[in-house]
Amino acid sequence: MKFFQSVEGVQKISFGEMIPTDTILEEMFKETESFYIPGIIDKRTSHHIWKLNLNEGDVVYGLGQSIRGMNKRGFVYESFCTDDPNHTPDKKSLYGAHNFFVVLSDNPWGIYIDFAGKVTFDVGFEHQDILLIDVEGVDFDAYIFNGTYKEIIGRFRSLIGQSYVPPKWGFGYQQSRWSYVDKNEVLSIAEKFDEHDLPCDAIYLDIDYMERFKDFTVSDDRFSDFKTFVSDLKLKDIKLIPIIDAGVKIESGYDVYEEGVKNSYFCKDENGKPFVAAVWPGKVHFPDFLNSRVREWFGQKYHRLMDMGIEGFWNDMNEPAIFYSEQGLKDAISFVSDQEGKNLDIYTFFDLKNKIMNISNSESDYKSMYHNYDGMKVNHYDVHNLYGYFMTRAAAEGFKSYAPEKRHLMITRASHIGMAKHSGIWTGDNHSWWEHLKLNIQMMPSLGMAGFLYSGADTGGFGGEASGELLTRWLQFSIFTPLLRNHSAMGTRKQEPWMFETETLDRIRDVIKMRYALVPYLYSEFMKANFNHELLFAPLSYEYDDSRSKRVEDQLLLGDSLMLAPVYEQNSRGRSVYLPEKMVLWKATAYEHLNENQFELLERGYHFVDVALNEIPIYLKPGKLVVMTKPENRISTLDESNLVVLGFVPDHASYILYNDDGLTKGYESGDSLQTIFKVDRINNKYHISVDTNDLALKTITFYLIDDSGNWHVIKQNTFINDRRYV
Ligand code: MIG
């Protein structure tokens, strides 16, 4: 066991010789004696177990992508990347493994368990005052953090590094469906957006664009002359985002398969043969992404589609999802045939049923697969949670070698801590359930804690049938999430905006346009949250330390200036809201209808707020500003030289608006545009100054609300003489 000391407020404890998941973590630490939480090693199971006390009032935030509320207390969660399309409240794991949480107590602390196998967190479930961490192995590192909630997150995030930044068009609305099956369908989708005057920046291609589900192929029948097609859509300023699956189809003559076999690039079974699993294409091999040579090889394959003009991808099924393995299927069939002719009772019948039901993603399959981890033979089960991470890293490195200075769009399904620097995530196969809108709301802060700033859910729900009301309410929330994508499954009600009645379509248009109007603020807050290791979405207690803020489970802070309290219940036309301080409620409708009657001053405390179906409820914090622009139907045509600044300003407010070229990685070396707004209210008059290095900036219109709820419109000429270039 080694002891390390680190940056202030972080300690590292090493147990055994762990497999390093990310060297950046190693570099941050210098060896010296430090802090230790005693755990016990269960000799019988070789699990490492910690039993920690929780106090009555403690709240536990974190665990990234997982089920249930913001406060994780009261249930058991497992880190074990799982492809499970039913995100019901009894599920312990989803697609990601994010072993970081913070206990908000009188002396807040946080912990990150750097381990690639299964970890179970019983957060006050068996016993409400005990937090049990059960690491299925003894070979791992733990990082312990102290400080305030905000400091702990900052320390953890600075440890895992900067997060992935998409191209700015990735902040546009994106439309998806499993699947748009041919060119004509995709083209007609693109045209419908224009016909209906709806914004859209990207359309996704799901598995059917491929030739019989083979990665890096494009169907000749349905997507002939793909390169021209991609560029035709680009002329409309719409990007195509194809899916890539983890499994490589076994088919002789298919070059990816042939090369993989020849070079021994696939995961192995016990006998050293390529491991055979079945997914979409039928039988597949899994590239051994834990091997750096394999990553380089697979990463280069993305270049084929990039050569045809593709600028973004989504990586799927990389938990990895296994429908069945040859052995698993054999066992199940023999079990079933053994039952033939028997008189099955409740128990034996259920055994039979379970045998079939549990054939997918089975533990025994994961245990019979092996990696060559750059020379070290490793059983897949022990490093299961790294697979999706390394697949996505392969892609990200492939993009880098293709065009090092360019940003690409990348989202992935399975993930692990450390992956956030390579990609964003979507939260997988949710349902068109109101509960999943709420889950989306509650999950955003913990995803951000784990570094996944570019994230979002399938808006409207993937499985099941969305009503117009559900889609409207969902969009009223997800227009704030960096990844804004409407996606739905085969066989479900179609979910493109024009598939609903005209009233819904009209409301949706206004909601999506409001997203585009808010992009200056959203992008600025996203980038600052990344640079400063902060949360973009946060529970109220991130900023407010009153005891009630800790208890609020369905409101969020969004960046520096806003609070959200979305409506997430069917037929609801309002909801209760807790205000930790005096705020201004803005019931936003169409951007062009912005007017003073939409604003209402609300005192600190509890309120019941009416919210009509066409209203987006947004709360303006005092002394803060929001920057907007006139919406357009593409991100690239937004006019950011003419801005609107909105704020509740009792006495003074300031805001730093961040912007950059939105396409290159120049931001990494400080290429940016910054505009500093300062507003002071002196003797009932507003004084405004604007400092900027943005030479294109032309006009700014301020809408300011004072302490008595009165609204003031101030055009550029009142401050133009104060304008300085920095
Ligand atoms: O569940 O490629 O999460 O977004 O549409 C089947 C088909 C596999 C799972 C992804 C989903 C995608 C679907 N895939």
Side-chain angles (χ1 to χ4, degrees):
M1 197 178 299
K2 291 176 281 174
F3 292 98
F4 292 86
Q5 204 209 347
S6 66
V7 284
E8 191 196 346
V10 188
Q11 288 84 26
K12 172 179 174 177
I13 315 153
S14 273
F15 300 90
E17 290 304 312
M18 54 95 54
I19 294 160
T21 53
D22 213 327
T23 45
I24 192 162
L25 299 182
E26 302 294 321
E27 288 159 19
M28 303 277 307
F29 287 81
K30 291 204 199 80
E31 220 167 316
T32 142
E33 264 184 68
S34 193
F35 189 87
Y36 176 53
I37 299 183
I40 47 159
I41 293 176
D42 183 328
K43 291 220 175 66
R44 192 176 42 87
T45 59
S46 294
H47 287 204
H48 191 110
I49 295 166
W50 274 313
K51 211 171 163 183
L52 305 158
N53 292 323
L54 292 172
N55 301 315
E56 167 64 19
D58 295 356
V59 166
V60 181
Y61 290 124
L63 298 179
Q65 187 182 23
S66 45
I67 213 82
R68 302 216 178 196
M70 289 200 250
N71 182 355
K72 290 295 173 221
R73 205 159 165 176
F75 198 57
V76 182
Y77 312 86
E78 269 171 15
S79 283
F80 197 76
C81 300
T82 306
D83 170 28
D84 181 339
N86 279 307
H87 309 168
T88 47
D90 53 334
K91 296 299 164 63
K92 295 185 180 132
S93 20
L94 296 175
Y95 311 88
H98 307 141
N99 303 333
F100 170 59
F101 65 81
V102 174
V103 177
L104 206 58
S105 61
D106 294 341
N107 276 312
W109 57 277
I111 189 167
Y112 167 52
I113 310 279
D114 194 3
F115 182 65
K118 190 186 272 185
V119 185
T120 306
F121 301 89
D122 174 335
V123 190
F125 176 72
E126 275 291 312
H127 189 296
Q128 63 177 3
D129 293 333
I130 291 172
L131 196 162
L132 210 97
I133 307 174
D134 181 340
V135 185
E136 219 178 281
V138 291
D139 217 357
F140 67 96
D141 287 352
Y143 297 78
I144 318 290
F145 304 84
N146 296 99
T148 64
Y149 177 31
K150 208 174 200 170
E151 283 167 350
I152 291 171
I153 289 171
R155 283 164 185 159
F156 174 67
R157 290 263 306 282
S158 69
L159 206 61
I160 62 173
Q162 288 285 300
S163 300
Y164 160 81
V165 174
K168 199 168 181 185
W169 55 262
F171 281 75
Y173 175 89
Q174 311 184 40
Q175 184 63 54
S176 185
R177 170 84 177 171
W178 173 25
S179 291
Y180 298 129
V181 292
D182 60 21
K183 284 207 289 199
N184 291 338
E185 193 177 3
V186 176
L187 206 58
S188 93
I189 295 287
E191 279 161 3
K192 289 239 173 57
F193 275 96
D194 288 348
E195 266 166 44
H196 292 289
D197 183 26
L198 290 161
C200 178
D201 267 87
I203 298 177
Y204 280 64
L205 296 178
D206 209 322
I207 46 177
D208 295 286
Y209 81 90
M210 293 185 237
E211 184 75 55
R212 294 193 303 281
F213 311 125
K214 285 183 289 183
D215 279 340
F216 310 112
T217 67
V218 177
S219 161
D220 247 354
D221 297 345
R222 288 168 287 111
F223 287 91
S224 59
D225 199 3
F226 191 63
K227 192 171 180 180
T228 313
F229 180 59
V230 176
S231 84
D232 287 350
L233 276 166
K234 268 201 211 168
L235 289 176
K236 293 170 122 345
D237 202 3
I238 288 189
K239 313 282 195 288
L240 285 178
I241 316 289
I243 196 169
I244 301 292
D245 280 8
V248 169
K249 186 174 199 298
I250 300 178
E251 183 182 289
S252 66
Y254 168 38
D255 59 348
V256 183
Y257 161 74
E258 301 266 357
E259 285 168 29
V261 171
K262 192 175 104 215
N263 298 307
S264 195
Y265 284 163
F266 295 125
C267 295
K268 304 284 187 301
D269 63 18
E270 280 102 337
N271 306 317
K273 298 239 170 55
F275 181 84
V276 181
V279 210
W280 295 111
K283 288 181 186 172
V284 299
H285 292 320
F286 289 123
D288 189 355
F289 295 117
L290 276 67
N291 188 292
S292 52
R293 285 204 338 267
V294 177
R295 282 204 295 282
E296 202 187 324
W297 165 72
F298 200 84
Q300 303 281 324
K301 295 286 177 235
Y302 287 80
H303 296 182
R304 281 191 195 169
L305 288 155
M306 296 166 85
D307 284 341
M308 297 194 261
I310 293 298
E311 298 175 59
F313 294 89
W314 49 317
N315 279 350
D316 192 19
M317 306 293 274
N318 48 4
E319 294 71 25
I322 299 181
F323 288 178
Y324 64 87
S325 69
E326 284 189 319
Q327 192 57 42
L329 187 64
K330 226 183 257 166
D331 293 350
I333 290 172
S334 89
F335 186 87
V336 171
S337 52
D338 283 352
Q339 312 307 310
E340 211 187 321
K342 286 191 187 155
N343 178 2
L344 303 177
D345 66 10
I346 180 167
Y347 301 112
T348 44
F349 173 71
F350 273 75
D351 284 348
L352 174 75
K353 210 169 144 185
N354 287 338
K355 193 76 194 175
I356 302 291
M357 303 267 286
N358 296 335
I359 193 168
S360 296
N361 306 323
S362 85
E363 192 172 301
S364 64
D365 286 343
Y366 290 136
K367 284 186 167 158
S368 48
M369 186 164 119
Y370 293 86
H371 296 277
N372 169 0
Y373 199 154
D374 288 341
M376 198 191 329
K377 184 177 175 188
V378 184
N379 185 275
H380 173 78
Y381 183 80
D382 297 328
V383 290
H384 174 73
N385 292 331
L386 292 181
Y387 191 77
Y389 165 37
F390 277 128
M391 176 189 183
T392 294
R393 185 163 150 186
E397 288 167 355
F399 303 160
K400 204 167 181 181
S401 72
Y402 192 84
E405 275 312 305
K406 184 176 159 142
R407 301 186 210 172
H408 296 87
L409 191 107
M410 179 77 232
I411 54 173
T412 185
R413 199 171 69 177
S415 63
H416 184 273
I417 292 290
M419 201 202 74
K421 61 174 165 288
H422 301 297
S423 168
I425 54 175
W426 88 99
T427 57
D429 300 345
N430 61 2
H431 273 74
S432 299
W433 296 338
W434 290 90
E435 289 78 0
H436 281 179
L437 165 53
K438 186 175 184 190
L439 183 63
N440 184 191
I441 295 165
Q442 294 182 313
M443 207 189 278
M444 291 311 291
S446 56
L447 294 179
M449 283 174 69
F452 297 99
L453 297 181
Y454 190 67
S455 56
D458 287 354
T459 296
F462 174 74
E465 316 283 321
S467 68
E469 185 189 353
L470 176 67
L471 182 60
T472 307
R473 290 301 196 195
W474 206 316
L475 281 166
Q476 288 171 350
F477 172 65
S478 60
I479 56 163
F480 298 101
T481 65
L483 170 65
L484 165 57
R485 188 179 75 139
N486 176 339
H487 179 49
S488 58
M490 187 177 275
T492 63
R493 179 179 184 178
K494 291 199 170 160
Q495 230 163 260
E496 295 79 18
W498 53 87
M499 292 297 174
F500 299 86
E501 67 280 15
T502 320
E503 296 87 330
T504 298
L505 171 63
D506 291 343
R507 278 184 208 117
I508 286 177
R509 177 181 306 109
D510 291 341
V511 177
I512 301 176
K513 285 192 186 246
M514 189 54 80
R515 153 65 163 234
Y516 280 66
L518 284 163
V519 159
Y521 175 75
L522 294 175
Y523 187 71
S524 170
E525 290 302 301
F526 176 93
M527 294 301 283
K528 286 189 285 179
N530 190 17
F531 292 136
N532 304 331
H533 309 296
E534 287 173 349
L535 293 185
L536 180 62
F537 286 96
L540 299 194
S541 48
Y542 190 61
E543 295 287 347
Y544 301 97
D545 57 13
D546 61 295
S547 60
R548 284 186 173 150
S549 286
K550 263 181 153 179
R551 298 284 159 216
V552 176
E553 281 282 312
D554 58 357
Q555 298 175 208
L556 294 170
L557 300 172
L558 169 59
D560 201 30
S561 312
L562 300 179
M563 183 183 84
L564 302 176
V567 173
Y568 54 84
E569 280 175 340
Q570 179 171 311
N571 297 316
S572 165
R573 294 294 178 272
R575 53 162 289 174
S576 306
V577 178
Y578 172 66
L579 264 59
E581 63 180 325
K582 195 176 190 174
M583 291 185 191
V584 164
L585 164 61
W586 174 26
K587 292 181 181 171
T589 58
Y591 176 80
E592 60 276 14
H593 296 161
L594 183 66
N595 75 74
E596 61 184 302
N597 301 324
Q598 294 177 341
F599 296 87
E600 187 186 345
L601 195 62
L602 296 178
E603 294 298 326
R604 175 170 193 268
Y606 291 92
H607 298 268
F608 188 89
V609 173
D610 294 316
V611 188
L613 203 44
N614 65 334
E615 292 173 336
I616 310 165
I618 303 172
Y619 296 80
L620 309 176
K621 287 163 65 182
K624 306 286 177 178
L625 301 169
V626 179
V627 184
M628 294 188 288
T629 187
K630 186 172 152 299
E632 296 292 338
N633 289 346
R634 302 285 184 272
I635 293 291
S636 66
T637 52
L638 285 176
D639 171 10
E640 295 187 67
S641 56
N642 294 297
L643 299 172
V644 164
V645 176
L646 178 70
F648 169 33
V649 187
D651 41 25
H652 51 80
S654 63
Y655 185 75
I656 302 176
L657 179 71
Y658 172 93
N659 202 0
D660 56 30
D661 65 21
L663 294 169
T664 72
K665 294 185 181 160
Y667 68 89
E668 285 176 352
S669 44
D671 284 352
S672 66
L673 297 170
Q674 297 197 28
T675 304
I676 304 166
F677 303 92
K678 286 205 178 100
V679 179
D680 287 291
R681 187 160 174 79
I682 305 163
N683 298 329
N684 294 329
K685 276 198 77 169
Y686 281 116
H687 299 259
I688 293 169
S689 83
V690 180
D691 283 353
T692 188
N693 63 350
D694 182 356
L695 298 172
L697 193 60
K698 283 192 221 127
T699 69
I700 308 173
T701 307
F702 288 85
Y703 295 112
L704 302 173
I705 296 141
D706 69 25
D707 219 5
S708 329
N710 295 321
W711 128 301
H712 307 260
V713 180
I714 302 160
K715 295 260 158 77
Q716 60 172 88
N717 51 354
T718 56
F719 68 86
I720 194 82
N721 295 333
D722 289 341
R723 184 159 150 191
R724 291 168 302 238
Y725 293 99
V726 290

